[in-house]
Amino acid sequence: MNSWAQGMIYLAVLVAFAACDAPPVPLDDIVIEKTFVPEQCVRAVKVGDYVRYHYNGMFPDGKKFDSSYDRSSTYNVYVGKKQLIEGMDRALVGMCVNERRLVKIPPQLAYGKEGYGDVIPPDSILHFDVLLLDVWNSEDGVQIDTYYTPDNCSRKVEVSDYVRYHYNGTLLDGTLFDSSHTRLRTYDTYVGIGWLIAGMDQGLLGMCVGERRIITMPPSLGYGSNGDGSDIPGQASLVFDVVLLDLHNPKDGVSIDNQVVPESCLRKTETGDFIRYHYNGSLLDGTFFDSSYSRNKTYDTYVGKGYVIGGMDEGLIGVCIGEKRRITIPPHLGYGEEGTGTKIPGSAVLVFDIHVIDFHNPTDKVEITATYKPEACETLTKKGDFIKYHYNASLMDGSFLDSTYKYGKTYNIVLGANQVVPGMEEGMMDMCIGEKRRLVIPPHLGYGERGVDGEVPGSAVLIFDVELIEMEAGLPDGYMFIWNDEVSANLFTEMDADHDQQVLSSEFTDYILRQVNEGKGRLAPGFDAYRIIENMFSNQDRNGDGKITEEEFKLKADETSHDEL
């Protein structure tokens, strides 16, 4: 280091010592140095305001004579009302919350020639390092700053409403004293009936679900001069950053918003109906909690009989198949004050967007509608007839199930032989060839509660559009074979081809098939001929020895327990 630099350092040290030893420079007025100014200053101190601030009081030589920090308590006072020394009264005016000032006050604006006891000597210049934490006025009311409003607001908070909201509570300087977010639970309460501090009671009025607002209140509308005894000091302004999540009134009923109503609605749900519907369930703020779509399965239940929550029981009455509606349910008609634990909080309003897939009543019968009938329609289907028909099958919501047309062949059954569901058997009776019908079959006459795995849902109403293509008359009830001509008097002898006084299975089969081929007899249509003949032979072979003797052989007319011959 050169001698010039060393000389400069030595000079600076001398100047510093001289400054320490020099007497304070007389002041004519207060001197204010703003050591920190916040970016935003919503409000500045005016004469008559009440302030809370921290300070360090020092003499010009840096010696501390007082500090609010040492007492762990802010200094709280009205400004401009001679509750302070004149210099501080003037120095606080214009300050913003969180602003910091270094204030130099001459003795004539402080404690003057008298000083203050043993603490402040006469004619002392005082320095105060001041940090403003709070400001309010006795005329202040609740201040509301709404910084987010949802696009749709069909309802606003009114006196006696019950609300659920989240909040962060801070002092005016930003010090956090409480938060519902940290507890992971909303604050739930009635509004306007004294369950809250007055400022919050006022500040929540007029809010929409989803709205966010900052509610600022003076201590007179908060916790007053005593604070809360813990985190909120006395005479503190409070700031609540609030988001409203839910809103209802104990007098509320179920609210229904019909979103899609089919043009054709021949029937609406009534108490006692069984309904299948899809739904999305959410809270009033849009928080999702459940969906039948995610399970790929409708929710199936009786309506109006207490199988679902009261609000849903009510909301599902009077809907059409295919209808979509929004059902809003207050908590006393939903899951009440307890909620369901994990997904639905206590006292929550529920919103269900439902889509009705189908419904029926356990007393329903098959609905038969003729969509086309030939002019010549005299021969009608009956039990035992063998019929061939085409069909298109779907659910009530139009979902495709199956069609014979895609296979290029008819579906063939014997009516009354339990080869199809009961509703189809009933729906195909008394049809003529060429006739077309629409059959609506309730599940108890279709595939029941179980449905058909992967094809037909459980408890589904079925729609069949059918067309009768061919029919072959069946045999009288109880018969699998009949004679077209008179029965031969030597029937057993004719069957006994080798004349050994016994009829074997092969002889019996050949004989019956010959009668059918010659038009002398008929087998029941739609069944395996050999199975029928085998059954006929078995019934005649009474001792089960594989052959029929003349003593065993009997015609149906001679007995009541067999259907053959």
Side-chain angles (χ1 to χ4, degrees), residues 383-558:
K383 183 179 179 180
D385 287 352
F386 180 60
I387 61 172
K388 299 181 179 181
Y389 61 94
H390 274 301
Y391 70 81
N392 286 315
S394 63
L395 301 178
M396 288 294 279
D397 66 343
S399 298
F400 173 81
L401 290 178
D402 196 15
S403 175
T404 55
Y405 294 101
K406 72 177 184 178
Y407 304 115
K409 60 181 181 179
T410 57
Y411 198 80
N412 310 329
I413 65 166
V414 176
L415 278 176
N418 297 321
Q419 295 176 350
V420 288
V421 295
M424 182 62 78
E425 291 222 275
E426 181 180 339
M428 298 297 294
M429 291 288 187
D430 299 319
M431 284 188 78
C432 57
I433 294 175
E435 184 177 345
K436 297 179 181 180
R437 289 180 174 179
R438 168 161 283 196
L439 311 178
V440 181
I441 301 174
H444 52 275
L445 297 174
Y447 292 101
E449 294 181 7
R450 294 188 176 183
V452 179
D453 189 32
E455 298 181 35
V456 180
S459 299
V461 179
L462 308 176
I463 297 179
F464 283 90
D465 289 305
V466 298
E467 178 184 5
L468 185 63
I469 303 300
E470 293 182 24
M471 65 178 289
E472 181 181 346
L475 303 186
D477 193 21
Y479 285 82
M480 298 299 286
F481 174 83
I482 61 172
W483 296 96
N484 292 330
D485 297 327
E486 292 293 327
V487 181
S488 171
N490 299 315
L491 188 56
F492 182 81
T493 303
E494 293 176 6
M495 287 186 182
D496 184 14
D498 58 4
H499 308 295
D500 61 354
Q501 302 303 310
Q502 57 187 13
V503 175
L504 301 178
S505 176
S506 57
E507 293 174 305
F508 187 88
T509 300
D510 290 344
Y511 182 80
I512 295 298
L513 289 176
R514 187 164 62 253
Q515 306 311 304
V516 171
N517 291 334
E518 292 176 0
K520 297 177 181 179
R522 287 184 63 211
L523 290 167
F527 298 97
D528 186 308
Y530 289 97
R531 292 289 299 273
I532 295 176
I533 296 170
E534 179 183 345
N535 188 56
M536 292 169 62
F537 178 84
S538 178
N539 286 337
Q540 293 293 328
D541 179 15
R542 302 174 195 280
N543 60 9
D545 63 355
K547 53 185 180 291
I548 303 171
T549 63
E550 192 167 5
E551 289 76 17
E552 291 176 303
F553 187 78
K554 291 182 181 179
L555 294 175
K556 179 173 177 63
D558 299 330

Side-chain angles (χ1 to χ4, degrees), residues 90-122:
R90 291 167 53 186
L92 292 171
V93 173
M95 281 194 80
C96 304
V97 172
N98 287 326
E99 183 178 338
R100 192 168 182 176
R101 290 182 175 184
L102 179 60
V103 182
K104 300 176 182 179
I105 303 176
Q108 67 271 22
L109 298 177
Y111 293 97
K113 296 183 179 300
E114 301 297 325
Y116 187 78
D118 297 332
V119 179
I120 298 176

Side-chain angles (χ1 to χ4, degrees), residues 123-347:
D123 295 319
S124 294
I125 296 174
L126 305 181
H127 291 186
F128 289 92
D129 186 355
V130 179
L131 174 63
L132 186 67
L133 301 181
D134 200 345
V135 55
W136 54 269
N137 193 283
S138 56
E139 297 179 358
D140 286 348
V142 173
Q143 299 175 40
I144 296 173
D145 176 21
T146 299
Y147 63 94
Y148 175 76
T149 302
D151 293 335
N152 296 316
C153 181
S154 59
R155 178 174 179 177
K156 297 181 178 182
V157 177
E158 298 178 3
V159 171
S160 81
D161 282 343
Y162 193 90
V163 297
R164 295 192 311 109
Y165 61 93
H166 270 305
Y167 70 90
N168 286 318
T170 62
L171 304 180
L172 206 58
D173 67 338
T175 302
L176 180 73
F177 62 80
D178 193 17
S179 174
S180 62
H181 297 281
T182 59
R183 294 190 294 274
L184 301 177
R185 192 180 189 284
T186 56
Y187 195 84
D188 310 338
T189 186
Y190 286 97
V191 176
I193 63 173
W195 284 31
L196 292 162
I197 55 176
M200 189 60 82
D201 249 353
Q202 296 178 32
L204 292 171
L205 293 176
M207 284 194 80
C208 308
V209 171
E211 183 177 334
R212 295 174 180 265
R213 59 171 56 171
I214 294 175
I215 303 170
T216 306
M217 63 194 71
S220 59
L221 298 176
Y223 288 93
S225 58
N226 296 323
D228 70 344
S230 176
D231 299 311
I232 300 174
Q235 302 291 18
S237 301
L238 305 179
V239 181
F240 290 91
D241 191 342
V242 177
V243 54
L244 186 67
L245 301 184
D246 202 341
L247 157 68
H248 78 278
N249 194 282
K251 298 179 182 179
D252 287 348
V254 172
S255 173
I256 296 173
D257 176 20
N258 293 322
Q259 297 170 323
V260 176
V261 179
E263 293 183 5
S264 175
C265 181
L266 301 178
R267 175 177 173 181
K268 296 183 178 182
T269 52
E270 299 176 358
T271 297
D273 285 342
F274 192 89
I275 187 171
R276 295 174 54 244
Y277 63 95
H278 272 302
Y279 70 88
N280 284 318
S282 62
L283 304 180
L284 205 57
D285 67 338
T287 301
F288 169 86
F289 63 79
D290 194 18
S291 174
S292 62
Y293 296 99
S294 63
R295 294 186 292 274
N296 198 30
K297 186 181 186 302
T298 56
Y299 194 85
D300 310 336
T301 187
Y302 286 97
V303 175
K305 301 183 72 174
Y307 284 73
V308 289
I309 56 176
M312 188 61 82
D313 240 358
E314 182 180 337
L316 290 172
I317 296 293
V319 291
C320 309
I321 290 173
E323 183 173 338
K324 295 182 178 180
R325 63 169 48 173
R326 172 166 285 187
I327 303 172
T328 304
I329 302 173
H332 52 274
L333 296 174
Y335 291 98
E337 295 180 4
E338 300 300 322
T340 62
T342 54
K343 293 186 177 180
I344 300 176
S347 299

